[in-house]
């Protein structure tokens, strides 16, 4: 075989094999890195989406909270308005009651004054009527004194006393004249002194001066003597 007919056989050197391996590894690393970058990018996109979702959820929560707070504020304002209205009504009612009380006080004061004037008028009228009835008795006494000396005055005095007793009876006045031997009533009898007597001990011996009572009220106690315990 001649040199021209010989086939060129290229023998790959170790350095060339290493270069090829390096190129292969570089290509693989690049592919791996590209895959990693894509994964990281996907993760970043997912993170952004999560953050966006969180922000939307937070915004929704804030909005919901604001709405609840707004409703609460509105309810409080409504309660405040209602309370203010009730307070105004209470103040108006208080003013009305105060005015009524003032009128009632004034009416009662006027009533007391009218009642007092009426009582004074009744008292004066009663006194006038009593004087009108007593003056004839005084005139009878004057006529009895005008009689001649030595004349018997007893009938005239007795007649005058009867008239006087009638006047007292018409006014509801009764004399207090306990009978001898009657028990002493401290509310109606005033003991002047104790005397020896055949009456039961501690009972009325004699009426020294009659008393007077008007209805259930004792005007003047009867003055009496009482028989001694001995």
């Amino acid at each position: 075989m001649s040199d021209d007919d010989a086939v060129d056989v290229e023998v790959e050197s170790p350095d060339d094999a290493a270069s090829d391996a390096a190129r292969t590894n570089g290509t693989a690393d690049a592919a791996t890195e590209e895959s990693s970058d894509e994964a990281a990018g996907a993760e970043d996109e997912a993170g952004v989406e999560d953050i966006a979702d969180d922000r939307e959820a937070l915004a929704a929560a804030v909005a919901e909270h604001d709405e609840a707070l707004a409703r609460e504020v509105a309810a409080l304002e409504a309660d405040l308005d209602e309370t203010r209205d009730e307070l105004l009504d209470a103040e108006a009612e208080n003013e009305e009651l105060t005015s009524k009380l003032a009128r009632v006080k004034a009416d009662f004061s006027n009533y007391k004054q009218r009642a007092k004037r009426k009582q004074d008028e009744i008292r004066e009228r009663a006194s006038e009527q009593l004087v009108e009835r007593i003056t004839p008795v005084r005139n009878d006494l004057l006529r009895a004194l005008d009689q001649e000396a030595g004349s018997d005055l007893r009938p005239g005095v007795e007649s005058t006393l009867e008239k006087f007793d009638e006047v007292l009876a018409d006014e509801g006045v009764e004399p207090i004249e306990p009978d001898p031997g009657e028990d002493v009533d401290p509310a109606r009898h005033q003991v002047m002194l104790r005397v020896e007597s055949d009456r039961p001990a501690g009972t009325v011996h004699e009426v020294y001066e009659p008393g007077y009572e008007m209805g259930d009220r004792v005007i003047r106690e009867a003055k009496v003597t009482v028989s001694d315990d001995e």
Side-chain angles (χ1 to χ4, degrees), residues 14-202:
D15 293 335
D16 293 336
S19 298
D20 293 337
R23 283 194 298 270
T24 302
N25 291 335
T27 302
D29 292 339
T32 302
E33 183 178 357
E34 183 178 357
S35 299
S36 299
D37 293 338
E38 291 177 356
E43 291 178 356
D44 292 339
E45 291 179 359
V48 171
E49 292 178 356
D50 292 340
I51 292 174
D53 293 339
D54 293 341
R55 288 179 178 177
E56 292 178 358
L58 179 60
V62 170
E64 183 180 358
H65 180 270
D66 289 343
E67 291 179 0
L69 183 60
R71 289 194 297 271
E72 184 176 356
V73 170
L76 291 175
E77 289 178 348
D79 291 341
L80 179 60
D81 292 338
E82 183 178 358
T83 302
R84 186 182 294 109
D85 293 339
E86 292 178 355
L87 179 60
L88 293 176
D89 293 340
E91 289 177 351
E93 184 178 1
N94 182 51
E95 291 179 359
E96 183 179 359
L97 292 176
T98 302
S99 178
K100 287 183 179 180
L101 179 61
R103 290 196 298 269
V104 170
K105 284 184 176 180
D107 293 341
F108 183 67
S109 177
N110 294 333
Y111 166 76
K112 288 174 62 178
Q113 294 177 1
R114 290 195 301 270
K116 185 177 183 302
R117 288 196 298 268
K118 187 67 175 178
Q119 290 178 353
D120 293 341
E121 292 175 359
I122 293 174
R123 190 179 297 107
E124 291 175 0
R125 182 58 183 165
S127 299
E128 290 176 2
Q129 292 176 352
L130 181 60
V131 170
E132 289 175 358
R133 302 190 64 185
I134 288 179
T135 49
V137 177
R138 184 175 185 277
N139 293 336
D140 289 343
L141 292 174
L142 291 175
R143 281 193 292 270
L145 292 176
D146 287 340
Q147 292 182 7
E148 296 181 359
S151 62
D152 188 3
L153 299 178
R154 186 176 182 83
V157 173
E158 289 178 350
S159 176
T160 302
L161 181 60
E162 289 178 0
K163 290 181 179 180
F164 194 79
D165 288 342
E166 289 177 0
V167 172
L168 293 179
D170 291 340
E171 296 296 328
V173 178
E174 296 290 339
I176 301 176
E177 295 177 309
D179 295 329
E182 184 178 334
D183 291 336
V184 175
D185 184 355
R188 302 171 71 245
H189 307 152
Q190 180 182 356
V191 178
M192 302 299 296
L193 61 108
R194 297 181 180 276
V195 297
E196 293 183 1
S197 172
D198 56 355
R199 309 287 182 191

